[in-house]
Amino acid sequence: MVVAAVALAVAGCGGDDTADGGNDNTDGGSRLPSLALTGLDGGEVALDEPTETPRVINLWATWCAPCRAELPAFDEVAASAPPTVSIIGVNVGDDRDSVESFVDELELDFPQLLDPGAELNAALGVTNMPTTLFVDADGSIAFVHLGAVDTDELTSLIDEHLGVAVDA
């Protein structure tokens, strides 16, 4: 399976943190699935295509309270991130109108992709929201973080797993 290790460690929305303070799981180099998602801007993104920069991909849903709490941190980090890393949100399971309304309400500016059929989650075996993927430029998943993050933790994880320093 693409990310079998993720499926073993995943719980429900927000999940309970482990005693060491996180629901982190290294992935061991699995790749993103061959899947194209449409952005709120109308463009299509093929997730398995190599990119010029590593990516941080945050999987979230409008019904998920921890997602709502962490999305402003992703927006803040995305606004201050150097061009050597991309930060992308992927809404899982909601329709376009709901996502647009939610994004407007939270005043999010970082790019958002739509996955109304939860195809990415199914391909990765992810059942926990939020989940954040740290992906190398070649499409290999370097690290998976399960559960919400704040600004400091997100910048630290980007530096640690993608080698990109971000001042947020």
Side-chain angles (χ1 to χ4, degrees):
M1 191 49 71
V2 174
V3 185
V6 173
L8 296 175
V10 182
C13 177
D16 291 329
D17 284 349
T18 58
D20 68 358
N23 285 330
D24 296 336
N25 184 24
T26 55
D27 176 68
S30 293
R31 299 191 50 80
L32 287 173
S34 179
L35 183 64
L37 299 177
T38 302
L40 284 181
D41 64 1
E44 192 169 275
V45 175
L47 294 180
D48 64 332
E49 294 285 325
T51 58
E52 294 180 20
T53 62
R55 292 170 281 177
V56 177
I57 302 174
N58 179 248
L59 307 176
W60 64 273
T62 59
W63 49 263
C64 171
C67 299
R68 176 182 284 275
E70 82 168 356
L71 281 166
F74 277 86
D75 201 54
E76 179 181 345
V77 172
S80 62
T84 54
V85 66
S86 299
I87 299 176
I88 302 164
V90 176
N91 174 271
V92 178
D94 293 308
D95 64 75
R96 176 182 281 277
D97 290 342
S98 297
V99 174
E100 287 176 341
S101 176
F102 188 87
V103 166
D104 288 346
E105 177 187 338
L106 292 182
E107 299 179 349
L108 302 176
D109 291 321
F110 73 105
Q112 300 296 324
L113 301 176
L114 302 169
D115 187 10
E119 294 176 68
L120 180 57
N121 280 33
L124 296 174
V126 171
T127 59
N128 189 55
M129 293 289 193
T131 293
T132 304
L133 310 172
F134 296 82
V135 183
D136 293 325
D138 69 359
S140 297
I141 300 171
F143 189 75
V144 178
H145 178 82
L146 307 175
V149 296
D150 61 21
T151 302
D152 291 338
E153 186 175 15
L154 180 57
T155 58
S156 177
L157 288 168
I158 292 170
D159 186 29
E160 180 180 350
H161 298 289
L162 298 178
V164 178
V166 177
D167 295 323

